[in-house]
Amino acid sequence: MQTELSRKLGVEHAVFGFTPFPAVAAAISRAGGFGVLGAVRYTAPDELKRDLDWIEAHAEGRPYGLDVVMPAKKVEGVTEADVEAMIPESHRRFVRDTLARYGVPEPAEGDASGWRITGWMEQVARNQLDVAFDYPIKLLANALGSPPADVVARAHDRDVLVAALAGSVRHARKHQEAGIDVVVAQGYEAGGHTGDIATMVLTPEVVEAVDPLPVLAAGGIGSGQQVAAALALGAQGVWLGSVWLTTTEADLHSPALTRKLLAAGSGDTVRSRALTGKPARQLRTEWTDAWDGPDGPGTLPMPLQGLLVADAVSRIQKYEIDPLLGTPVGQIVGRMTSERGVQAVFDDLTRGFERAVDRVNRIAGRSGPS
């Protein structure tokens, strides 16, 4: 599963794996793919340094990258307390009432949520880059548009490729104009923040729009056959995130959540604003239903919604309140039916890819891979 881009980066397979777990990122790289560590949860530079040290020690010299969150619009002089003050009391009351209805315990003294606005601020991402650029990362990806021009230049000065996610041709062209090296065309099926256009439609549109920039296809991809389809559409690789959640190297800290993921079908996700205020695909739960239903107060814009529900989501996860328990995940969850190692995932991807290529060759009247 090699392409011009994978050869340029020195990886065996054009499979780019986004994950918040260092062990998964290292395992993806060891398996011949390209591991990308999500950095949004690292508000302290020392924590990111610790995990990059771990990847360096366990990736066996294979290349890897980092995914940061740098908002397209910079807001100066606004603190987390300022944003907290903008949340209406009616929304706080809705959260309290919903948690009480399901018997969610109060947080223990000293507990803090895993989601804070600081992780989404530009300066935090810049601090992350101050750490990351001391490591031999080969790719820097940004989840919220193109990074600032000085960040792109800084990466290029270190021979680091810059990637950005796009949910439309308009976004992709903006990335190209900003000097981005790789565009990730993320379709409607994807987990997390995603747009309205399906991967099968979006990928060839973006490939044509930004030619000759390489494009990675993302959303609804979890088999070798789907990898082959993405390459046939003109992509130079695939960007996978959801499939790693049920690998043995992942650290979800929740057996109940893992069970829910393994039992879910492709129709058991919903694109909801309940988590962050922007449409994000996630498991459908009674929590998302409450927010999206006619009796809910309506979600708040980002980052207010994320701050509002951060502590609630942490409590739901800590105490594994099954009806409310969820996570961002794509429609590919229907194929995630067993826990297995990252290497086993790659074995399935490569076998499925070979079968798909062989099938197309037979249709085309050829024998064997071309």
Side-chain angles (χ1 to χ4, degrees), residues 98-287:
T98 303
L99 296 180
R101 187 162 65 249
Y102 287 90
V104 181
E106 292 293 325
E109 186 175 351
D111 276 1
S113 74
W115 194 101
R116 306 310 303 170
I117 187 176
T118 50
W120 296 71
M121 289 181 169
E122 180 179 324
Q123 187 54 52
V124 173
R126 288 183 178 275
N127 293 341
Q128 292 166 350
L129 294 180
D130 288 340
V131 172
F133 283 141
D134 286 336
Y135 292 81
I137 63 170
K138 298 298 182 185
L139 179 78
L140 172 66
N142 189 42
L144 290 180
S146 304
D150 68 295
V151 171
V152 175
R154 190 178 175 192
H156 288 167
D157 286 345
R158 291 164 173 77
D159 294 323
V160 175
L161 297 183
V162 181
L165 277 65
S168 69
V169 166
R170 179 173 60 86
H171 293 154
R173 285 179 173 147
K174 283 186 176 181
H175 295 334
Q176 186 178 38
E177 292 166 0
I180 299 304
D181 304 294
V182 181
V183 176
V184 181
Q186 180 170 269
Y188 172 82
E189 305 94 324
H193 296 130
T194 185
D196 300 310
I197 306 172
T199 305
M200 179 67 77
V201 175
L202 180 65
T203 301
E205 286 185 346
V206 171
V207 167
E208 181 177 347
V210 302
D211 183 61
L213 286 187
V215 173
L216 301 177
I221 301 172
S223 73
Q225 292 89 334
Q226 291 166 319
V227 175
L231 300 190
L233 293 173
Q236 286 202 31
V238 293
W239 178 275
L240 309 184
S242 297
V243 294
W244 316 114
L245 290 174
T246 52
T247 56
T248 53
E249 292 89 347
D251 192 8
L252 285 179
H253 297 294
S254 173
L257 180 55
T258 298
R259 287 195 298 271
K260 290 190 77 170
L261 287 168
L262 295 175
S266 57
D268 292 328
T269 68
V270 64
R271 192 164 161 267
S272 171
R273 298 177 183 268
L275 188 61
T276 68
K278 294 184 68 173
R281 186 169 297 285
Q282 55 203 282
L283 280 181
R284 181 177 181 179
T285 67
E286 293 184 29
W287 175 257

Side-chain angles (χ1 to χ4, degrees), residues 7 14 23 48 125 132 172 177 214-215 260 278 313 348 353:
R7 286 189 287 269
L48 178 59
E177 292 166 0
V215 173
K260 290 190 77 170
K278 294 184 68 173
V313 170
D348 281 350
F353 180 83

Side-chain angles (χ1 to χ4, degrees), residues 75 78-92 95 113 115-118 120-121 193 273-278 287 291 297-313:
V75 180
V78 177
T79 67
E80 188 168 318
D82 295 332
V83 179
E84 287 267 17
M86 301 177 191
I87 298 174
E89 177 57 31
S90 58
H91 283 69
R92 296 186 187 277
V95 170
S113 74
W115 194 101
R116 306 310 303 170
I117 187 176
T118 50
W120 296 71
M121 289 181 169
H193 296 130
R273 298 177 183 268
L275 188 61
T276 68
K278 294 184 68 173
W287 175 257
W291 281 102
T299 56
L300 299 171
M302 180 185 274
L304 300 183
Q305 182 71 16
L307 276 176
L308 169 65
V309 305
D311 291 325
V313 170

Side-chain angles (χ1 to χ4, degrees), residues 298-344:
T299 56
L300 299 171
M302 180 185 274
L304 300 183
Q305 182 71 16
L307 276 176
L308 169 65
V309 305
D311 291 325
V313 170
S314 292
R315 287 161 61 189
I316 290 166
Q317 292 175 344
K318 177 178 179 178
Y319 297 108
E320 297 191 308
I321 309 302
D322 196 82
L324 307 180
L325 187 62
T327 185
V329 69
Q331 291 180 332
I332 198 64
V333 70
R335 295 187 61 95
M336 296 156 50
T337 57
S338 64
E339 288 187 82
R340 51 189 179 152
V342 167
Q343 183 62 60

